[in-house]
Amino acid sequence: MGEDKKEKRYKTGLLRSLWPYNFNAERYSYTLHRITGVILALYLIAHVFEIYHFALGPVAWEQTIALLGSLGIWEKIGLWIIAGSALYHGANGLRLILNEVFGMLLGKPVLPEYPYTPTSLSRNQKIAIYVILAIVIALWIWAGLYLLEGLGII
Amino acid sequence: MKVRIRRYDGQKEWWQDYEVDVKSSDTVLDVLNKIREKQDHTLAFRLSCQMGSCGSCGMVINGLPALACQTRISELKTDSIRIEPLYNYKVIKDLVVDLNEFVNKHRSVKPWIIRKNPEELEEAPIEFKVTPEQNLTFVQFDYCIMCGICLAACPTVAIDPLFLGPQALGQAYRYIADPRDEGFEERIDILDDSHGVWRCHFAGACSYVCPKGVDPAKAIQFLKKEILKYRLLHKKKAATKPAELVEKAPPPNAPKPPPFDFKFEGGV
Ligand code: SF4
Ligand code: FES
């Protein structure tokens, strides 16, 4: 076996795993969850770095604040993206905890009958996904308005 | 109808287009057979039962992993078809992928009934009583035909080829939920591993594409719950109550049927 077998796997890898096109809503939320998770991780590192300057004394802290302030609108946009990420990652994370730790929203094991509709992706799960999305978008808009207000635009 | 197939001959990969006359009742597998019979006998693909029960003909049809023999052209609602080998697998030739790793993953979760006392499985006077309600707790996951389609849909398999995958984890839960099984502790170290159950983040794509309604994603979430219960609360297998051991009924004393008298009549 295997001499003329392709060692490379067909259509695999990170980008593939983040590409939910053609699949179910859960896979789309998986992609969003991963991306928002990475954004939050990067933010956490930056945040620790920022707080570290606070420990260095008032001068260093003033400088850091000035540096962030010099970013102008970009600081606010960054914060807005981070707020959205935190909202989505948190809310969707709660849904996943219900699924994974408590086995909820999945339905019971059933006798499969054609046409097969997996109960784990059925009504309850979809309601949870869309309710989360609605709440997150509403709060995200609110956060955006709050940030704009801080800029004195509205 | 235009059919576009991803080909691979051991060295190079390419897309090849075919023009095929199709009937609306044709399945994708019928189309492939037509191509192989009339146009290009070098095209390689697997098939056996042609009725969705052997799991040989898994491939990616118009971007979605499916069984070719269960996908009707009329259901696709497109005027051309794109057929590729299953994602995340190594390709041997054209649409034939290497299932060795997949089968080994299945084997690694010990997909059989384990008893602490193995003699119970062989000893004659004992049998296990499984009620219909108990049966319902695992029979769904027993429907798996090992087509491997779910691994092609799984985003975790795409980044971690060693991840056990929905099929193996689903089968692990099938046996753990089985009231006759006592192998939870034997399996837990395989499942509760860095390539095991926690790599699943519930994208649900496996359940979405499974052609037998197995819903492996559901089984995996239940499996996580069982493992957490065991690790945190030291509770073992609350999925189902253990099966009762009952004395086997003695064989009925029915009279033996008379020996079959076979006479061959008629010429050859
Ligand atoms: S769980 Fe479904 S998709 Fe996966 S191997 Fe079994 S039958 Fe195929
Ligand atoms: S040929 Fe057996 S499942 Fe398609």
Side-chain angles (χ1 to χ4, degrees):
Chain A
M1 261 251 65
E3 275 140 49
D4 54 4
K5 190 171 67 199
K6 199 159 68 144
E7 276 317 307
K8 225 177 83 229
R9 288 154 204 280
Y10 184 62
K11 288 211 176 163
T12 192
L14 182 61
L15 290 181
R16 270 280 140 194
S17 89
L18 294 176
W19 183 244
Y21 181 69
N22 249 341
F23 285 93
N24 46 329
E26 289 77 9
R27 196 166 160 182
Y28 278 85
S29 66
Y30 164 94
T31 301
L32 262 181
H33 199 78
R34 298 229 105 184
I35 293 174
T36 52
V38 171
I39 293 174
L40 289 180
L42 293 178
Y43 166 68
L44 199 68
I45 296 168
H47 189 59
V48 167
F49 196 65
E50 184 193 343
I51 299 298
Y52 161 77
H53 282 85
F54 187 74
L56 288 185
V59 180
W61 180 240
E62 288 299 324
Q63 276 171 352
T64 317
I65 293 293
L67 179 73
L68 286 174
S70 71
L71 293 174
I73 181 109
W74 293 110
E75 187 205 356
K76 302 289 177 197
I77 290 176
L79 280 177
W80 191 53
I81 291 174
I82 290 160
S85 303
L87 284 169
Y88 186 80
H89 203 82
N92 195 49
L94 287 179
R95 176 179 70 89
L96 290 176
I97 289 175
L98 289 185
N99 286 156
E100 302 185 9
V101 180
F102 299 102
M104 287 161 75
L105 308 173
L106 300 168
K108 289 200 174 72
V110 290
L111 197 65
E113 269 171 43
Y114 199 82
Y116 307 120
T117 36
T119 60
S120 68
L121 314 179
S122 298
R123 216 173 114 246
N124 292 347
Q125 194 71 254
K126 294 287 186 281
I127 291 176
I129 288 180
Y130 294 125
V131 165
I132 285 169
L133 216 55
I135 295 176
V136 165
I137 289 175
L139 288 176
W140 200 28
I141 291 174
W142 179 75
L145 293 176
Y146 182 80
L147 287 169
L148 286 181
E149 213 180 2
L151 275 184
I153 294 177
I154 52 172
Chain B
M1 176 175 257
K2 199 173 117 192
V3 183
R4 175 159 250 244
I5 300 179
R6 183 73 167 178
R7 308 281 315 262
Y8 174 68
D9 65 358
Q11 264 113 42
K12 59 179 190 310
E13 294 174 73
W14 72 101
W15 288 100
Q16 190 157 346
D17 291 335
Y18 300 92
E19 225 8 269
V20 192
D21 285 334
V22 293
K23 288 190 292 201
S24 64
S25 61
D26 276 351
T27 63
V28 172
L29 194 64
D30 293 331
V31 172
L32 288 172
N33 273 326
K34 281 183 183 171
I35 294 175
R36 188 151 73 178
E37 281 163 18
K38 305 252 171 62
Q39 301 187 24
D40 184 355
H41 61 269
T42 64
L43 180 66
F45 53 93
R46 284 196 183 103
L47 81 157
S48 180
C49 69
Q50 312 197 33
M51 51 180 254
S53 63
C54 72
S56 306
C57 63
M59 52 191 73
V60 178
I61 301 162
N62 282 354
L64 204 65
L67 291 180
C69 67
Q70 266 197 344
T71 311
R72 280 198 196 286
I73 304 293
S74 53
E75 280 169 8
L76 290 174
K77 297 195 176 72
T78 49
D79 30 337
S80 67
I81 323 174
R82 206 177 72 239
I83 308 176
E84 300 163 84
L86 288 177
Y87 298 161
N88 302 334
Y89 286 89
K90 292 174 188 161
V91 182
I92 299 174
K93 180 170 165 37
D94 298 341
L95 303 173
V96 178
V97 294
D98 180 2
L99 292 170
N100 273 330
E101 289 175 4
F102 166 69
V103 175
N104 285 336
K105 285 175 185 174
H106 179 230
R107 193 176 288 142
S108 74
V109 302
K110 309 192 180 197
W112 50 81
I113 286 183
I114 298 173
R115 296 293 294 182
K116 295 232 167 78
N117 174 10
E119 275 172 18
E120 279 172 355
L121 288 175
E122 277 123 50
E123 236 172 62
I126 287 170
E127 62 185 1
F128 303 96
K129 189 171 164 191
V130 177
T131 63
E133 294 78 42
Q134 286 175 329
N135 185 47
L136 209 56
T137 58
F138 64 87
V139 71
Q140 175 171 28
F141 314 120
D142 209 17
Y143 269 49
C144 173
I145 54 171
M146 292 192 70
C147 59
I149 283 177
C150 45
L151 271 76
C154 175
T156 299
V157 177
I159 42 176
D160 177 13
L162 296 179
F163 173 49
L164 284 173
Q167 192 275 341
L169 293 171
Q171 289 313 293
Y173 183 74
R174 179 251 173 270
Y175 284 94
I176 284 169
D178 192 312
R180 295 161 292 185
D181 184 84
E182 294 177 333
F184 185 59
E185 278 148 328
E186 242 181 78
R187 293 194 189 94
I188 190 163
D189 289 334
I190 309 161
L191 304 171
D192 189 7
D193 174 81
S194 56
H195 300 292
V197 72
W198 305 111
R199 289 291 274 175
C200 165
H201 303 297
F202 194 22
C206 49
S207 296
Y208 186 64
V209 297
C210 176
K212 300 307 278 183
V214 171
D215 207 345
K218 177 162 68 185
I220 300 174
Q221 311 323 310
F222 287 160
L223 192 55
K224 288 175 184 167
K225 188 174 150 193
E226 290 302 317
I227 291 179
L228 278 179
K229 258 193 214 157
Y230 179 78
R231 292 285 194 221
L232 301 177
L233 310 173
H234 305 289
K235 266 197 206 150
K236 244 183 296 171
K237 201 176 131 183
T240 35
K241 288 207 188 73
E244 259 178 72
L245 286 176
V246 285
E247 297 254 312
K248 246 190 201 170
N253 288 330
K256 273 196 187 144
F260 187 52
D261 190 13
F262 181 73
K263 274 201 206 88
F264 184 71
E265 282 169 16
V268 187

